[in-house]
Amino acid sequence: MWQSIISYIPNWIIFTQALVILIVPIIIYLTSKWLQSALGSRTSEGTPTANESEENIFENAKTKAEDTMPFTGNYETDLASIKKRIAKNCDVHFREFTMATGEMVAIIYVEGLYDKELIEVQVMKSLMFDDVEEMEKSSKDSKITKSYLTNKMLPISEIREALNLEEVVSDILVGSTAMLIDGIVEVLLLGSATGKTRSIEEPLSEGLLRGPRIGFTEILCDNTAILRRHGKNESLELIKFQVGTRAKKDLVVAYMNDIVNSELLEEVKRRIESINMDYLPESGYVEQLIEDDSLSPFQQAQNTERPDRVINSLLEGRVAILLDGSPFALIVPVTFSMLLQSPEDYYERWIPGTLLRMLRFLATFFALLAPALYIAFISYHPGLIPTKLVMSIIDARQGVPFPSLIEALIMETSIEILREAGVRLPKPIGPAMGIVGGLIIGDAAVNAGLVSPFLVIVVAVTAISSFAIPTYSAGITLRLLRFLAMFCAAILGAYGTVLFFLLLCSHLVKLKSFGVPYVSPMAPYRLDDWKDFIFRLPFKVMKRRPLIMKTKDSDRKK
Amino acid sequence: MNSMKGYFLSALSILLLLCLTGCWGNKEIEDLSVNVGLALDVGKESELEQELAEQGATYPKKNIITATLQTVPVLKGNKEQQMGNSKSSEMFLNTEVTGDSIFQLYRQYSLRRYRPIIGHHLKVLVISSELSRKMDLDKLVNFILRDNDIRPSCLVLISTGKASEALISSQPGDIPSFHLRSMVENQFRNNKILAPMILTELDGIMNSGSSFVLQNLVTAKGEVEFAGAGVLKGETNKWIGTLNEHEVEGLNWIKGDIEGGVIKTYDKSGEVLAYEIKSASTKIKSKVNGNDISFHVSIEADGRLIENWDKSQVPTDEKFLKEAEEYFEEELKDMLHKTTRKMQEKFKVDVGGFRNQLRIQHPKVWRTVKQDWDETFSKCDITYDVNITITDYGSSAK
């Protein structure tokens, strides 16, 4: 009996394998935990901790006290204190003149940002020449007052008052014109920045055949105005935040107040408030600072230049984030299917829309797995290729000196380099380089026996497929993952490719964007949301907003 | 805590998945030779093999089987050479090896050619009738059926002459294995071709113990023609004879495998009459009367009168069409009787699928006669009822 039990005990190889299976996951877990703590989880932390040294605090306190001290109303001292703060800058100008009534006035502005027309015609002219008689009359009574100025003398809509140095200085530097008048305690801030801006153009990265040609620009107020203009809608709310610890920038969170889930909104606000960065030049910074998982290759916020896309998302219950100085708005939360959808799907009729969507899913599959499958078939599974194709592939690969992985890597890398170069190249040269690179190098590589013609087809299909994905950054993700897939295929063949795909799926299923599962209509499975997933059903069927967004108002029709 | 568990589980699943066995054999496709055809002949060493054996290339074996392995593609030299004699260069490579175990013969191949052989694309297996007469077919295809790489869709054929000759082609650029594989698909044009017998079907039939027919082929001067069928007896799985083309046609009618083709006959003045089959159906009814088992085969066919050498007859004439139908029916009946006679009297085997009909229609009776069915069948009474309809007479009224 003992003998029969012993015969069932496996030998030491099995035990070693079991040990490896036990230890390696622990190692992987520890590494990923270490990576997480090193990189990610910024968003899950609370408010940022201050890290100023004690000396700095003392210095800061001193200047702070000066900054918050109110103006005295004495022209000379106030002007001197302002000059002390900002006169070093070459672009800050002080223009002093005497008003018709005799008071000294100083106009302080930043060259290139101030509204020249407004200041010269509406302010200086009216103060220096106009209504001299009336002015004289009033001057007899008393000194000129602030309310008199604003009511009678300055025909300008945008006038603000500032009481201390800090307010004045920060506003002057972003483009307002400050007016300091002898005898008045408040400094008046006139107008706002008008610097040179770009006109509204068609979005470059998301061209459409059918649909509005309007795109966001770098000016935040223009962008919010574009959003406002989508229609008469009281529920669109835009709240302003200031981000950046050193250079402050405006950031607007847009949402529909009677649609958006309030928890989601709070979460977005919380994450934006916890941004701790000295300067945010582009919304890409915001995206990376508020995302859930920094280790994931997938983006967790959608960037778009298209206002129509933003509005559509807001109506689905999502939240948009617009940063001043960036033409890219962010939409959160994002799901994987959104990255493969184009607004055109909705503008065209539902049948072509559905077809195009399916094509894009297919293109995604190719962009991700075509070279991997090529390697798997060529190196591992000759039996899965049709016989006649096997013969022609063998013929074509006869002179190729490399295994299929190296061959595919050569071609894929050169295509990626070519694409990267194409972005940098000046516009007139770009297409020419594309042709030289794509056609001539490809053809020469085949003739030189470096790669097989069959691979050139695979690589070309892959490259074109990755461009069929409407979101550029999603395309980059797939390009990156494609190389991983190729290595998996080279190690384990089609089995490796399947493993890779499973791993990718398990990652995607776990990934969340602002609490919303990344592959949401698929997992968790919600049949109702499938109406707008791979298919785009007619509008008559799509009566409800996505269930996954848990909106306050789920009905699209009233 | 929860996330730790999650990480641990996912890492564990990755490892477990990696431990599953996959296809680990990495071999670039251009380093392989693709086996597309296999011919089995009675063992006789070729001159080359004899010379090699004299030099010492030998191992303990009985020369029972000579296998001809057809592999593609043939390595070409550089481009100029290819341009120069592309016409005369052959697209395939036949390697003859003699011995007993077919698996060993396959492995012997690696001693002669540097590119290892893969079996995924094996298209045809041709067995010479002489070998099949001597040896149980089950033994011959044993390895082929067991092998994991070789597809069950491989076609099995019988050759009257040397099987290896079927794998030779006189046409440049032609690969005989593909040629044979595709020719079977011509059933819709010619009813002298049997429905393709592939490995899985063969496996089933051999296990059921019933007799069966395999498409026969003949060769001459590098040309191959499908001609008749080899009959194999179920108990022994050995070749017992050949049905000629005419009988194969009849057999196809009985089995209901007609997809198209022709019935040709002569009218009373000896002129040719031809009928193009558009659709046909066969019903076999088995009748059991005490110990007597009989079958009634009713055949219906639709088609058109396609050729008529008798100029005096007008095809629009109803009477003439009726008459023509009768000629065709007569011809078909004659064909069927000849086939039945051959099956029942000469070979004493049932290859027409009657056993299956009896099994379905009279399962109880079948159980009693199952053991000795071929013998029982040869005494059964088979009657025929043929109904041929001429639906039209083509584009010409005259």
Side-chain angles (χ1 to χ4, degrees):
Chain A
M1 181 225 171
W2 188 238
Q3 280 299 316
S4 65
I5 290 175
I6 280 183
S7 70
Y8 283 106
I9 294 175
N11 58 3
W12 63 271
I13 298 176
I14 306 288
F15 280 113
T16 321
Q17 283 172 349
L19 204 66
V20 169
I21 289 175
L22 186 72
I23 289 169
V24 174
I26 295 173
I27 293 172
I28 294 176
Y29 162 68
L30 289 176
T31 345
S32 75
K33 197 181 162 193
W34 174 74
L35 273 174
Q36 282 283 344
S37 64
L39 290 171
S41 68
R42 193 195 304 271
T43 51
S44 56
E45 278 171 22
T47 47
T49 51
N51 55 347
E52 297 163 61
S53 67
E54 279 181 36
E55 294 156 47
N56 280 347
I57 290 172
F58 182 68
E59 287 273 305
N60 287 350
K62 206 175 144 195
T63 43
K64 265 239 164 83
E66 266 175 39
D67 284 351
T68 49
M69 220 154 61
F71 289 118
T72 54
N74 183 326
Y75 176 76
E76 298 294 338
T77 48
D78 287 349
L79 187 62
S81 65
I82 296 174
K83 273 190 173 172
K84 193 185 156 205
R85 277 297 294 275
I86 54 173
K88 294 190 287 281
N89 297 311
C90 61
D91 58 343
V92 177
H93 292 268
F94 294 80
R95 167 79 165 89
E96 293 178 59
F97 60 93
T98 318
M99 264 170 70
T101 49
E103 278 95 353
M104 285 296 289
V105 177
I107 284 179
I108 309 154
Y109 61 89
V110 175
E111 196 180 351
L113 283 179
Y114 81 116
D115 196 340
K116 194 174 180 186
E117 174 104 8
L118 177 93
I119 299 301
E120 282 176 359
V121 177
Q122 311 289 356
V123 179
M124 293 179 73
K125 200 175 163 199
S126 56
L127 290 181
M128 285 163 118
F129 309 116
D130 291 358
D131 301 323
V132 179
E133 296 147 34
E134 205 183 327
M135 197 71 70
E136 278 169 352
K137 199 169 40 176
S138 65
S139 68
K140 281 170 198 160
D141 311 339
S142 66
K143 284 172 77 179
I144 191 162
T145 62
K146 182 195 75 183
S147 60
Y148 181 77
L149 264 178
T150 51
N151 288 339
K152 298 267 175 162
M153 293 181 71
L154 296 171
I156 306 171
S157 61
E158 200 176 346
I159 296 184
R160 278 161 294 136
E161 297 162 12
L163 283 169
N164 58 43
L165 194 59
E166 192 193 11
E167 289 173 37
V168 172
V169 166
S170 64
D171 273 28
I172 290 172
L173 291 179
V174 295
S176 293
T177 307
M179 192 165 76
L180 187 69
I181 302 166
D182 195 13
I184 296 179
V185 177
E186 296 93 348
V187 173
L188 298 180
L189 294 164
L190 316 169
S192 57
T194 56
K196 291 281 174 287
T197 59
R198 188 164 69 90
S199 61
I200 291 174
E201 281 164 19
E202 193 176 349
L204 202 65
S205 65
E206 290 164 276
L208 284 190
L209 279 179
R210 183 168 178 182
R213 301 256 183 260
I214 196 168
F216 285 131
T217 68
E218 283 79 4
I219 311 303
L220 184 63
C221 57
D222 286 357
N223 293 348
T224 51
I226 293 171
L227 288 187
R228 277 277 171 228
R229 244 181 338 201
H230 77 277
K232 210 183 267 180
N233 184 356
E234 290 143 35
S235 60
L236 173 63
E237 277 184 8
L238 305 162
I239 5 172
K240 191 173 269 187
F241 288 87
Q242 286 222 315
V243 289
T245 49
R246 185 161 291 277
K248 291 196 168 35
K249 261 193 168 185
D250 285 344
L251 180 147
V252 165
V253 172
Y255 56 91
M256 300 286 173
N257 65 356
D258 53 357
I259 297 174
V260 73
N261 181 289
S262 44
E263 273 175 58
L264 168 69
L265 187 61
E266 285 313 311
E267 179 65 18
V268 173
K269 283 182 186 167
R270 187 184 71 74
R271 290 195 193 180
I272 286 171
E273 275 159 4
S274 73
I275 288 178
N276 181 16
M277 191 83 183
D278 59 345
Y279 177 56
L280 298 129
E282 220 278 340
S283 56
Y285 273 62
V286 180
E287 179 186 341
Q288 291 167 61
L289 290 172
I290 63 171
E291 69 189 356
D292 298 56
D293 186 357
S294 313
L295 288 175
S296 171
F298 291 91
Q299 63 191 96
Q300 289 136 54
Q302 187 176 28
N303 53 66
T304 180
E305 280 186 272
R306 301 194 65 88
D308 53 336
R309 196 172 218 164
V310 171
I311 289 296
N312 285 338
S313 304
L314 295 187
L315 285 168
E316 281 177 359
R318 295 176 208 273
V319 177
I321 300 165
L322 295 96
L323 181 72
D324 192 22
S326 164
F328 287 94
L330 300 177
I331 300 169
V332 290
V334 67
T335 58
F336 184 70
S337 61
M338 275 170 73
L339 304 177
L340 300 184
Q341 290 167 4
S342 161
E344 215 167 9
D345 298 348
Y346 302 97
Y347 303 154
E348 287 290 348
R349 297 186 59 252
W350 73 276
I351 299 172
T354 302
L355 174 79
L356 289 178
R357 261 194 198 173
M358 287 171 159
L359 266 182
R360 272 187 230 118
F361 273 91
L362 189 71
T364 313
F365 177 78
F366 280 143
L368 185 63
L369 293 176
L373 289 177
Y374 172 80
I375 292 172
F377 282 144
I378 295 293
S379 300
Y380 288 88
H381 314 291
L384 296 183
I385 314 173
T387 310
K388 288 192 176 157
L389 190 59
V390 164
M391 289 172 61
S392 56
I393 290 177
I394 291 179
D395 263 347
R397 279 184 58 85
Q398 213 45 248
V400 179
F402 303 114
S404 55
L405 173 69
I406 306 288
E407 187 196 12
L409 278 179
I410 290 175
M411 227 30 214
E412 283 291 341
T413 319
S414 46
I415 282 278
E416 290 300 325
I417 292 172
L418 204 73
R419 180 151 46 180
E420 190 58 20
V423 177
R424 312 268 164 266
L425 282 172
K427 258 185 193 152
I429 315 177
M433 261 316 280
I435 293 166
V436 170
L439 297 179
I440 301 182
I441 294 182
D443 191 45
V446 169
N447 282 336
L450 221 57
V451 299
S452 71
F454 193 69
L455 176 75
V456 175
I457 299 173
V458 172
V459 170
V461 167
T462 313
I464 294 168
S465 299
S466 71
F467 282 122
I469 298 160
T471 315
Y472 176 71
S473 26
I476 303 179
T477 305
L478 293 179
R479 273 151 68 183
L480 167 84
L481 292 172
R482 171 158 81 227
F483 283 93
L484 276 180
M486 277 158 65
F487 282 109
C488 286
I491 296 167
L492 289 172
Y495 174 63
T497 316
V498 171
L499 272 192
F500 168 79
F501 192 71
L502 283 180
L503 282 183
L504 197 66
C505 287
S506 62
H507 169 69
L508 281 174
V509 166
K510 228 179 121 269
L511 190 62
K512 279 185 177 173
S513 163
F514 286 81
V516 171
Y518 205 61
V519 277
S520 73
M522 194 123 69
Y525 185 75
R526 279 167 210 272
L527 195 62
D528 269 3
D529 286 357
W530 275 66
K531 286 172 193 164
D532 188 16
F533 179 44
I534 296 171
F535 314 103
R536 202 283 279 169
L537 293 191
F539 290 126
K540 281 180 186 165
V541 184
M542 290 200 286
K543 284 178 188 160
R544 306 190 144 263
R545 300 182 205 286
L547 283 177
I548 195 76
M549 296 305 304
K550 297 207 167 71
T551 48
K552 285 180 196 160
D553 171 26
S554 63
D555 216 339
R556 290 206 83 136
K557 287 178 179 174
K558 269 274 145 70
Chain B
M1 191 58 215
N2 215 358
S3 83
M4 177 172 166
K5 208 173 162 189
Y7 277 115
F8 185 78
L9 281 178
S10 57
L12 188 73
S13 58
I14 293 168
L15 265 158
L16 286 173
L17 283 171
L18 279 173
C19 292
L20 293 173
T21 51
C23 184
W24 291 74
N26 169 13
K27 194 82 190 161
E28 298 294 321
I29 196 167
E30 69 268 21
D31 299 332
L32 302 168
S33 33
V34 180
N35 182 208
V36 290
L38 171 66
L40 298 176
D41 279 303
V42 177
K44 184 172 179 290
E45 286 187 322
S46 63
E47 280 176 35
L48 174 71
E49 276 182 291
Q50 281 169 8
E51 265 181 54
L52 289 171
E54 276 168 33
Q55 307 272 338
T58 181
Y59 60 99
K61 60 175 180 177
K62 295 174 198 158
N63 287 341
I64 299 172
I65 299 166
T66 296
T68 309
L69 309 175
Q70 182 162 78
T71 51
V72 290
V74 177
L75 288 187
K76 300 220 176 67
N78 49 24
K79 286 218 165 110
E80 287 75 33
Q81 211 177 328
Q82 192 186 336
M83 299 291 254
N85 53 10
S86 63
K87 283 272 180 240
S88 61
S89 74
E90 277 185 331
M91 301 277 288
F92 56 90
L93 184 69
N94 283 359
T95 310
E96 284 191 17
V97 273
T98 307
D100 35 26
S101 152
I102 292 178
F103 176 63
Q104 194 176 35
L105 295 182
Y106 262 86
R107 292 299 175 257
Q108 283 300 111
Y109 177 89
S110 299
L111 297 178
R112 295 257 294 274
R113 313 264 184 234
Y114 75 93
R115 296 190 306 163
I117 198 161
I118 53 162
H120 302 101
H121 295 286
L122 187 63
K123 297 287 174 207
V124 286
L125 165 62
V126 187
I127 300 165
S128 81
S129 52
E130 204 191 335
L131 180 68
S132 167
R133 185 168 56 86
K134 288 180 181 164
M135 271 184 75
D136 189 341
L137 189 66
D138 198 20
K139 292 178 187 167
L140 292 174
V141 295
N142 199 286
F143 157 70
I144 310 280
L145 284 172
R146 273 170 203 264
D147 191 69
N148 279 330
D149 283 357
I150 292 171
R151 297 277 162 81
S153 62
C154 174
L155 185 70
V156 185
L157 300 170
I158 284 266
S159 152
T160 306
K162 271 195 80 175
S164 62
E165 274 165 25
L167 294 186
I168 297 169
S169 170
S170 62
Q171 295 160 346
D174 187 35
I175 295 168
S177 304
F178 294 176
H179 182 112
L180 292 175
R181 182 75 190 114
S182 313
M183 215 148 74
V184 186
E185 315 290 329
N186 292 353
Q187 234 192 335
F188 74 107
R189 278 281 182 263
N190 197 313
N191 47 9
K192 289 174 186 138
I193 300 173
L194 285 172
M197 176 72 85
I198 59 172
L199 277 178
T200 29
E201 269 181 70
L202 185 68
D203 197 18
I205 287 177
M206 283 195 306
N207 282 331
S208 76
S210 76
S211 305
F212 55 97
V213 282
L214 291 173
Q215 180 66 51
N216 190 54
L217 46 84
V218 291
T219 50
K221 292 180 184 165
E223 290 273 336
V224 181
E225 193 180 328
F226 279 173
V231 182
L232 286 96
K233 194 164 171 62
E235 291 151 25
T236 56
N237 282 331
K238 282 181 181 167
W239 181 86
I240 51 169
T242 311
L243 294 177
N244 65 25
E245 286 187 32
H246 201 59
E247 288 150 1
V248 168
E249 213 175 326
L251 189 62
N252 268 335
W253 279 106
I254 294 169
K255 288 167 112 179
D257 284 341
I258 298 287
E259 285 174 26
V262 59
I263 305 174
K264 188 204 70 181
T265 183
Y266 305 98
D267 64 8
K268 54 184 179 292
S269 51
E271 298 285 1
V272 166
L273 265 179
Y275 176 77
E276 184 184 3
I277 305 156
K278 284 202 291 193
S279 70
S281 68
T282 304
K283 273 200 190 109
I284 300 178
K285 187 122 184 68
S286 59
K287 276 180 239 162
V288 179
N289 199 353
N291 270 339
D292 286 345
I293 300 169
S294 66
F295 293 95
H296 182 71
V297 181
S298 46
I299 291 173
E300 278 183 27
D302 276 353
R304 67 168 65 95
L305 180 68
I306 199 76
E307 210 173 354
N308 173 23
W309 287 10
D310 188 356
K311 285 186 175 179
S312 62
Q313 297 291 358
V314 185
T316 42
D317 184 6
E318 280 286 321
K319 217 179 97 197
F320 164 67
L321 288 180
K322 275 271 163 299
E323 205 178 311
E325 279 175 6
E326 271 161 33
Y327 282 126
F328 292 130
E329 279 167 11
E330 205 56 45
E331 165 68 18
L332 184 52
K333 268 185 193 159
D334 182 46
M335 191 194 295
L336 293 170
H337 284 304
K338 276 181 187 161
T339 311
T340 322
R341 210 172 305 136
K342 192 100 171 233
M343 279 198 288
Q344 288 188 314
E345 286 165 24
K346 187 167 177 208
F347 297 132
K348 293 193 188 343
V349 289
D350 164 28
V351 291
F354 291 99
R355 55 185 278 139
N356 222 17
Q357 296 301 328
L358 184 70
R359 183 177 64 82
I360 292 165
Q361 290 167 17
H362 298 282
K364 278 181 191 158
V365 182
W366 166 245
R367 245 169 264 146
T368 59
V369 296
K370 188 164 79 175
Q371 275 307 317
D372 208 15
W373 172 244
D374 277 342
E375 202 57 40
T376 320
F377 168 75
S378 55
K379 284 166 198 126
C380 285
D381 200 19
I382 300 176
T383 51
Y384 292 95
D385 173 23
V386 174
N387 182 16
I388 284 182
T389 321
I390 295 175
T391 53
D392 66 305
Y393 33 82
S395 321
S396 171
K398 183 72 197 94

